[in-house]
Amino acid sequence: MTTRRFWVFIEQVEGNVHPVSWELLGVARDLASQVAAEAEEKGDAVVVEAVLLGDKVEAIAQEALGYGADRVYLIDDPVVAYYRNCPYYKGIAAVAEKYAPEVFLIGATILGRDLAGAVATALHTGLTADCTGLEMGEVRGVKHKLLLATRPAFGGNIMATIVCRQHTPQMSSVRPRVFPMPEYDPAAEGEIIREPLGVTEAGALTCILEFLHHQEKSVDIEYADVIVAGGRGLETPENFQLIQQLADVLGGVVGASRPCIDAGWIDSAQQVGQSGKTVRPKLYIAAGISGALQHKVGMQNSDFIIAINSDPQAPIFEVADVGIVGDLFQVIPAMIAQIEAYQQEAAT
Amino acid sequence: MFHALVAIKQVPDTTNIRIDPETGNLVREGVPAIMNPYDAHALAEAVKWKRKLGGKVTVVSMGPPSFITTIREAIELGADRGILLSDRKFAGADTLATSYVLAAAIEVIHKEEPISLLFFGKQAIDGDTAQVGPGVAVRLELPILTYATKIRAVDLENGFVTVERHTEHWVEVVETPMPTMLTCEKEIAEIPFAPLPDLIRSLRYDPEIWTMSAGPLEFDKQQVGVLGSPTIVFKMGTPPLPEPGEKFNTREVGVEKAVKLALDKAAAAGVLQAVLGGAQ
Amino acid sequence: MNKHIGFDAIVVGAGLAGSAAALVMAREGLNVALVERGQKPGSKNYFGGAIYTHAIAEVLPDFMERKPKFERPVTEAGFWFLAEDGLTKMVTQGGKLNAEPADAYTALRADFDLWWAAQAQAAGALLIPKTTVVDFIRAAGGAVVGVMTDRPEGEIYAPVVIISEGVNNLLTQKLGLIDHDLEPAHQALAFKQVISLPAKEINARFGLPDANHGVAASVLGDVSLGLPGMGFIYTNKKTISVGLGVMLDTLAEYQLRPYEVLQRYLEHPAIAPLVAGGQLLEYGGHLIPEGGWHDMPQLYTDGAMVVGDAATMVNALHWEGTNMAIISGKLAAETALEAHQQSDFSVRTLAGYEARLKEGFILKDMKQYRRFSRFLETHPEFMGTYPAFLNDALGGFFSAYGKPKRQLFTEIYQSLTGRRSLFQAAGDMLSMGRAVLGW
Amino acid sequence: MKRGDAFSVKKLPAQLRESLPAVYVDDWLVSIKYFVDEEESHLKIQEDELCARCEDKPCLYFCPVNVYTLGSDGRIQVAYQACVECGSCRVGCPYDNIEWKLPRGGYGVAYKFG
């Protein structure tokens, strides 16, 4: 009997866990269930496990159990108080070599992508970056199911499904907000296993001299509940004011499609799409965005999409839950007024 | 001496990719090939420091002979030497095999002329993997600073570099011993408009071409190309499209009515209540 | 001190005229810089269009062996007269059009110009891309001795410069060879879509046996809302080029948006089936200097010559321009070679360029057609009335109404005279003749 | 201002005017490859005042890529990024009010088909 291990890296900074880690525990549980039948046939065990590094972060390990991990490998060491590539990848690679996970998922965040490539190379295995779809499936010539990792390529115009046939772990970095957040079970139980880091401060190679905090908090569109996004149809950068007004009424933030970024109309942090951010708000309003594929892949998982475009053929309508064909300079002011009226009505 | 190594890749301009509606395949006709923009910015920074400290910039790339144009472009932007790692056996490489070939070549270059800093773009715009840089760094056991936005200081005497790199939360100021690898964001440097003499030199420049064995090293054929790649493409397809929702045309029903009908749909789905609840 | 960047000759612009000039000079051993502002040759170039092989052959007799980047040979050519809801075609096939190599091939400029410039490079010219020439370097007496580009340390010296800058004649103006911007009334704005369709589908829709056959059509009438302008359709291998040219002043006067006019054309009941299901690959626009003879700048000065569109070498009625560009480039190059032989780059030698042009067809044609661009302005009926009449007349002729034929002919006759009196019609024909034949 | 007199607005018959379909040209522009010069616009309006006085503002119509639009403040906005360098505005501006340069070498439109 063997144990098939589905691993998730838990990303934390100063004790704050990146939500993608929990999303991945959810998808890892789902993947594990997809091999349950074939594992049972062979008498194999299937487990979901988390890997966590940090300094005094045991509470997070406990939380990981609540989000669905059966077991947490915890490397608690002052050297990894803050993320640095070398100690992190060496510590993780050592634990992975010891327990031989079958699948290893890492959030495709800035930190995660820095880490994943290094771990994969150290373990001499394959890594599929920036995935938006995962499933366990049959692959010809392989006796057990493999991880089928799907990712957009070429600016989101193509979806490629990648497999790693003979090497383990099968690694993927996964975009935030692609998978839903799992239920949290405060009563969940499981094991926390402490592992040594095996890297001293001297071996860390780099030294962080200081942290510079952003002067102004950049707009965080990735986890916003409401995004109002503008495209070329706005015609001028000044017209983002109108988008901002609508976003304000809805308590949301402003996003943009690539042409606006290319034209320098708005900060690239606000770009939604393949070359920007993947978002999954409760409400996404696309105004004057034609809906090139590269934009759609970044927002089509939104819970509800309203598209406003003067061209009834605009591809954005293909992904919209509801569309308004018309001049956005007329539609948006009307929408603002109606939402305000709606709010007042709801308040009384 | 300051010696910067810059790894560059030629990529199809992804803003111009389209899919053949009949076959579902990628149409490459009419798609311009460009230097990966992140690499170009990394190169610009390398050249800036060369101009400041004296020294040399070497560029290296792995790809088919058509990549020569991109190497020439690097010369135009101020690189001194260009090496193209090109062999049909390298084809089909995933990031692991690519990092092997680059690391092996860089090791040889380093032996000839010790490298101070390695510059990579943060990712290539065709694959967007951001894996090759970290992979090469691990193979060469070099410190790596990804998402570098600024080089504050290069201390050749003591062998240290101070770099700003951004994370999701803040900008870190990091010091590491050289040689070190940086994967660079676009803001690390503006791409300069090359002087005419540099452009003319680049037009006449023939890069060195290293193949499996014709070059200063022999590559391990188990580690290159398809053989050295653990991942394979299982299938390709166009992204699936959901069922489109209803459209209301302002020309037909008027602006007010169209907006109302749309918002009613959002309300019926419970969305409006959910988000406005949060706004109050 | 920077070392001088020096050449025997500089060509500004790697289009059809420029690359032809560079090729001819480099082949004779001159050290030639071919300066192109685009990312590569063809990046900035745009046309309907078709390339005429007689001009290519004059520069490069063995061109067919060098695998020119043609699309399809033009095996069917003609006029399509578009009424509001109908189409009458006057086309010719076979005969001369079946020659091998063909008289004309459809082409896409991004491909063709790259190939054409590569022939100049193969002859030894140095192509310097991504560099915009902004001014000239002049000797004390005013003679051109080089160009200034927009790059740092961007001066290039040469005793002779061939200006192949295209319709936006900024440099030609800078040299004082023409003292005014071209007038909107003499410029056609051409705009088109390149639409992707499977080759088989193109063959079927245009009635072509295979991809070695192609159509070039001039489309008149409703295409430009009956206003001065002309549409076109060219079949390429796996794409079709559909667009039109409308006089710039017409667009301004009638407040027409080019893309709306083009979309209307694409939606025309006779055109829509030809483009149905196709994917837009590229839209764009370009000016055509249709002023002809009257707008032609002085063609040479000390140390410089002007070729191609910059010299307004376009024959609007025949859609000719590419051939005139190539020939003018060749003739300027031959003049530059003579100047090198005589070590005299002044107007004394360079006047030979105009003399060479006069020997060939270009200046003769331009002179003959000198009234044509004005003709369209003053005779809009050729754009509206006559195409509509033709459709009515032929439509009537080939319909069985169950009426006496005499009545039919009366109706046809009236459909003309209702639009234009016979006297006016006769006058129109006379003016047309004058414009075309140069009476 | 010789060119200022060159055209006077003429009325298109209503039937023809109505036959013109509305086109959202931005959707066509995505088919065009540009190397945008972020640093400098090659098109500049010299005097806003002249544009304000220009009655017909033909640039709003004839530009094939809709570079010129009327801002909400009544000023002409110039989206030079979309320019295909045809030169229509250069010769067509009635008051010669557009400073028209070629983009820097390598920048601007780069036709893929032409």
Side-chain angles (χ1 to χ4, degrees), chain C residues 67-68 186-187 193 266 269 278-279 289 304 345 387 395 404 409-410 431:
Chain C
K67 301 200 167 54
H186 303 165
Q187 315 303 312
Q193 286 194 351
L266 293 169
Q279 235 195 333
F345 303 94
F409 287 120
T410 309
S431 321

Side-chain angles (χ1 to χ4, degrees), chain C residues 47 52 72 79 131 192 226 274 284 335 349 351 406 414 420:
Chain C
F47 79 155
Y52 299 96
R72 292 174 184 238
F79 286 105
T131 303
K192 69 165 183 186
L274 299 175
T335 311
T349 320
R406 175 178 293 276
Q414 282 167 350
R420 204 90 182 130

Side-chain angles (χ1 to χ4, degrees), chain C residues 37 39 43-44 108-110 130 132 150 168 181 183 189 192 253-254 258-259 263-264 282-283 285, chain D residues 2 7 10 17 19 28 31-32 61-62 64 85-86 88 90 103-107 109 111-114:
Chain C
R37 68 188 183 91
Q39 283 279 329
S43 291
K44 303 289 182 183
L108 295 163
R109 294 291 294 277
K130 299 186 284 187
T132 304
D150 60 348
N168 287 303
D181 267 343
E183 283 169 46
L189 176 61
K192 69 165 183 186
E253 284 165 359
Y254 288 94
Y259 33 95
Q263 180 64 27
R264 182 180 177 276
E282 191 173 75
Y283 167 67
Chain D
K2 163 171 155 280
F7 32 67
K10 297 177 183 165
R17 174 63 65 192
S19 72
W28 294 16
S31 70
I32 306 175
Y61 300 96
F62 62 54
E85 299 150 40
C86 71
S88 297
R90 182 177 72 87
R104 267 201 292 167
Y107 289 92
V109 69
Y111 285 122
K112 299 167 288 171
F113 296 92

